[in-house]
Amino acid sequence: NRMSGIEGTRPYDALVLDLEGTICTISFVRDVLFPYASKRAEAFLRKNFAEPHVKEVIARIRADSADEIAKGDKEVRPIGSNDEAAIGDIVRNVKYWIKKDLKIPGMKELQGHIWKEGYASGELTAELFPDVLPVLKQLLVPIYTYSSGSREAQEQFLRHTKEGDAALYIRYKFSLADIGPKREHDSYVKLADAIGKPAPNILFVTDIEEEAAAARTAGMRALLMIRPGNLELTQFARDNFECVYNLAAVMTKEDIERCYSLRQTPESDLLRATIKSFRTPPKK
């Protein structure tokens, strides 16, 4: 099941990308986005408590909190019934979940709304790895994202990158709320179904070996991305998956021929360098 897209004809006809650790740094998410949401959760809820979309998120967090308590998490508070108590309890739970990096759907929705304000005000600007946007622009297949962030969070992140609007190149952003947990076989069956293509025709790129393994059990092709700051992959993962260092790994022979026919610009130079180095670890 090893892929050799570079040598062969197009080996897939839909591409699914993970975000964190694959197209952007883990540190941007952990050190910029998470603290931003944590710090602003209370003010955001106070300001927008009566908004219908925020009411929905509050209802979801109420249900998520009850679920976590039922699972035995003693740190999670039940959400109080009056508004003031509810805000206090939600903020406490959300800060705890963010700190623990738990994938709680209601909390992910809330983060998305908070970040939307941050991007709109210019306080937040997302950062992609430099190879990402030039490669996305060259691909002729439909591209999707699948991330633990909400659809809103993904949309805003991709739209407000330092390199420009990357959301233009993404056909649909799938979240946990649409598809389910990223380390489970059934999620990838559902994902292929949602994309409307047979699983073997879909390529999934991620930095997490359990996700790549789950995608593969559902019949998808999977590439493992190694980026600065990512978790070390196990020897098993290195032996069993094609491991690559930048997004040019997804380019097929025809994509590459097209890149080499582009007139010379800083972006085309970057693309060519990226194509040459997708199997080579970047210098420290």
Side-chain angles (χ1 to χ4, degrees):
N1 200 8
R2 286 191 159 237
M3 287 187 36
S4 56
I6 297 298
E7 293 83 17
T9 50
R10 185 177 295 289
Y12 61 94
D13 49 28
L15 175 66
V16 181
L17 299 172
D18 166 55
L19 265 68
E20 182 189 346
T22 299
I23 67 169
C24 75
T25 63
I26 290 178
S27 66
F28 176 73
V29 178
R30 305 282 159 95
D31 305 337
V32 178
L33 290 182
F34 285 2
Y36 186 92
S38 231
K39 208 159 87 189
R40 285 167 177 74
E42 185 173 348
F44 178 88
L45 287 168
R46 287 191 185 285
K47 190 174 98 189
N48 301 293
F49 202 78
E51 297 290 330
H53 67 285
V54 177
K55 278 203 177 325
E56 275 172 39
V57 174
I58 290 167
R60 192 164 290 155
I61 291 175
R62 199 178 277 283
D64 291 335
S65 300
D67 287 348
E68 294 301 303
I69 291 165
K71 285 184 203 161
D73 192 333
K74 305 256 190 297
E75 293 293 323
V76 178
R77 277 189 191 173
I79 307 300
S81 52
N82 73 49
D83 292 358
E84 193 54 38
I87 288 175
D89 295 333
I90 289 169
V91 169
R92 189 174 177 279
N93 289 355
V94 161
K95 286 185 168 180
Y96 164 67
W97 290 330
I98 291 174
K99 193 170 161 204
K100 287 276 194 209
D101 191 18
L102 299 177
K103 314 293 187 200
I104 310 288
M107 179 265 284
K108 293 288 182 187
E109 295 282 326
L110 179 65
Q111 283 180 326
H113 293 309
I114 295 170
W115 293 331
K116 183 178 185 178
E117 289 194 348
Y119 289 119
S121 72
E123 281 182 274
L124 289 175
T125 310
E127 293 173 40
L128 299 173
F129 286 111
D131 51 276
V132 174
L133 204 52
V135 171
L136 295 184
K137 288 178 181 175
Q138 291 304 316
L139 297 178
L140 297 177
V141 293
I143 307 166
Y144 304 86
T145 54
Y146 176 29
S147 169
S148 53
S150 67
R151 289 197 60 212
E152 176 76 85
Q154 295 181 57
E155 178 68 37
Q156 296 300 322
F157 172 89
L158 290 161
R159 196 176 286 168
H160 298 95
T161 82
K162 285 189 172 138
E163 295 74 24
D165 184 349
L168 294 172
Y169 304 97
I170 308 298
R171 184 164 292 193
Y172 193 87
K173 296 101 189 154
F174 292 105
S175 71
L176 303 184
D178 305 313
I179 299 296
K182 292 184 74 188
R183 299 181 184 212
E184 287 178 18
H185 162 92
D186 291 1
S187 299
Y188 294 89
V189 175
K190 200 171 166 188
L191 184 60
D193 199 42
I195 288 171
K197 294 191 188 292
N201 297 15
I202 300 171
L203 171 61
F204 176 55
V205 188
T206 179
D207 60 312
I208 304 291
E209 51 196 89
E210 293 86 351
E211 294 177 8
R216 191 183 272 179
T217 63
M220 285 187 189
R221 296 157 180 259
L223 280 180
L224 273 172
M225 183 66 77
I226 299 170
R227 296 284 200 182
N230 285 9
L231 285 171
E232 279 291 312
L233 295 176
T234 62
Q235 194 55 49
F236 178 85
R238 288 173 180 273
D239 292 344
N240 285 279
F241 289 90
E242 190 177 345
C243 300
V244 297
Y245 295 92
N246 68 52
L247 206 57
V250 305
M251 296 175 82
T252 62
K253 203 170 168 192
E254 61 193 288
D255 295 324
I256 288 166
E257 282 165 1
R258 220 173 37 258
C259 287
Y260 277 94
S261 69
L262 296 172
R263 73 190 173 76
Q264 207 171 359
T265 62
E267 188 165 282
S268 70
D269 289 346
L270 172 69
L271 259 175
R272 288 169 194 150
T274 306
I275 289 164
K276 288 197 182 93
S277 64
F278 79 93
R279 295 182 199 276
T280 320
K283 292 190 172 56
K284 289 276 183 282

